[in-house]
Amino acid sequence: GIDWGFALANIPRDVMHIHYAASRFVDGKWKSVYNPVAPIFGVQMGRDMAAVWSDTMNRTGRYTDYINEGGGMEFLVHQGRLFQRGRHTGGKIEKGQDVLSYFGESSEILTRLAVRERTIRKLAQERGISMEEARKDKKITQEATFVARDYMDFGQGGTVTKAFDNMFPYLNATVQGTRGMVRTFKPGSGSALSSTFKLGQLGLLVAGTTIAAWKFAPDTMENLQGNIAMDNNLCIPLGDEFGFEDENGDMRYMFMKVPLDPGQKFFKVFFESSTNKFLGKEIDVDRVIKSLGELSPIGTGTIP
């Protein structure tokens, strides 16, 4: 709720989830608002985030329209706050949390407005009108707001899930994230083939990264085996030459972490372990089986 680092981890996770889950329901089928080819999607997402950046940070323009059209909800940073007291104007503690949670909240708003912007752009192209005309069309902007909210709507949830959400932090949010991911693979949904294609690209990325990492930074990869960072992130070694000896005489190696969406963690571990097996490396079968739990919204640990 107040951790500034949340924004850095949240944006890549949200972007990955959006690639699968941001869709329009057209003629009984789900149609992705973004291109299924990952590099093209990256360019589109970058363009949309740049377009809405100012309104996101200043809470103006597109953000105001998004809220007025029903896009508002309790974001993750709101759910993670201390001393929740229902509907209230807020005191000094709440105002302090508003300041501390600003960047985290902005990261959630940024991706929502980016999806809304892309949907408006797509609808404008389909109708053969300009973006300016599309932004004045209430039906278009309202549909775009719905798509931006629906890909992971924290306001939805069943009675049981909402009740247990009071005891298990982020349970309902995790359920909605899992639902948004799983429904894209549902046969007959219209998005199953596209999602499978996207999953194949993830497999190629993980396999290619793993092969390159073992080739150019074998010591780093050796030390990363069994590290929990490998389960929750795509780890990219910076090179064995950046290793250093700490005060205890142990070698430390530098690497970058790209946070993964929970729905993709199992697939990342599976593709990575398969590549390791292909390279003749020893694999941890228990780790692969344990990662299956990431596909479930209900965790096996203390906190889901």
Side-chain angles (χ1 to χ4, degrees), residues 116-156:
R116 182 178 181 273
E117 184 76 3
R118 176 55 49 179
T119 306
I120 293 175
R121 191 180 302 278
K122 200 171 187 69
L123 290 170
Q125 291 173 348
E126 290 179 358
R127 288 162 172 73
I129 60 177
S130 67
M131 282 291 287
E132 288 71 21
E133 292 174 306
R135 288 197 179 96
K136 295 177 182 178
D137 190 320
K138 282 298 180 182
K139 288 186 177 181
I140 289 179
T141 57
Q142 287 172 357
E143 180 177 352
T145 296
F146 173 78
V147 172
R149 174 172 180 145
D150 182 65
Y151 83 83
M152 192 158 51
D153 188 351
F154 300 138
Q156 294 185 2

Side-chain angles (χ1 to χ4, degrees), residues 35-240:
N35 195 292
V37 180
I40 299 177
F41 160 70
V43 172
Q44 291 178 334
M45 175 56 70
R47 178 183 181 182
D48 295 335
M49 291 174 72
V52 304
W53 175 264
S54 177
D55 286 338
T56 297
M57 303 308 293
N58 296 315
R59 305 294 194 266
T60 56
R62 296 175 179 85
Y63 169 75
T64 303
D65 294 337
Y66 171 76
I67 296 298
N68 289 338
E69 292 171 350
M73 69 182 78
E74 189 179 53
F75 292 124
L76 290 176
V77 292
H78 303 149
Q79 297 179 41
R81 286 192 175 190
L82 302 171
F83 313 117
Q84 291 279 25
R85 294 189 286 120
R87 295 182 179 275
H88 57 281
T89 55
K92 292 182 178 180
I93 292 178
E94 284 77 13
K95 290 178 181 178
Q97 290 192 88
D98 285 341
V99 174
L100 293 173
S101 66
Y102 178 78
F103 291 109
E105 184 180 78
S106 296
S107 73
E108 297 192 67
I109 295 171
L110 178 65
T111 51
R112 300 276 178 176
L113 295 189
V115 172
R116 182 178 181 273
E117 184 76 3
R118 176 55 49 179
T119 306
I120 293 175
R121 191 180 302 278
K122 200 171 187 69
L123 290 170
Q125 291 173 348
E126 290 179 358
R127 288 162 172 73
I129 60 177
S130 67
M131 282 291 287
E132 288 71 21
E133 292 174 306
R135 288 197 179 96
K136 295 177 182 178
D137 190 320
K138 282 298 180 182
K139 288 186 177 181
I140 289 179
T141 57
Q142 287 172 357
E143 180 177 352
T145 296
F146 173 78
V147 172
R149 174 172 180 145
D150 182 65
Y151 83 83
M152 192 158 51
D153 188 351
F154 300 138
Q156 294 185 2
T159 304
V160 175
T161 305
K162 287 287 190 178
F164 278 100
D165 193 49
N166 293 309
M167 294 184 289
F168 299 102
Y170 302 113
L171 174 62
N172 187 64
T174 311
V175 169
Q176 296 309 318
T178 302
R179 170 179 173 265
M181 181 77 172
V182 170
R183 72 179 180 183
T184 67
F185 287 92
K186 182 179 179 180
S189 63
S191 60
L193 184 61
S194 175
S195 292
T196 303
F197 173 64
K198 295 169 186 175
L199 186 61
Q201 294 176 82
L202 175 65
L204 287 174
L205 173 64
V206 172
T209 302
T210 302
I211 292 172
W214 276 112
K215 180 177 177 61
F216 296 107
D219 291 339
T220 305
M221 286 296 289
E222 193 68 44
N223 279 269
L224 275 172
Q225 300 310 300
N227 192 319
I228 194 173
M230 292 287 280
D231 295 340
N232 299 325
N233 309 272
L234 179 63
C235 295
I236 305 174
L238 297 182
D240 292 343

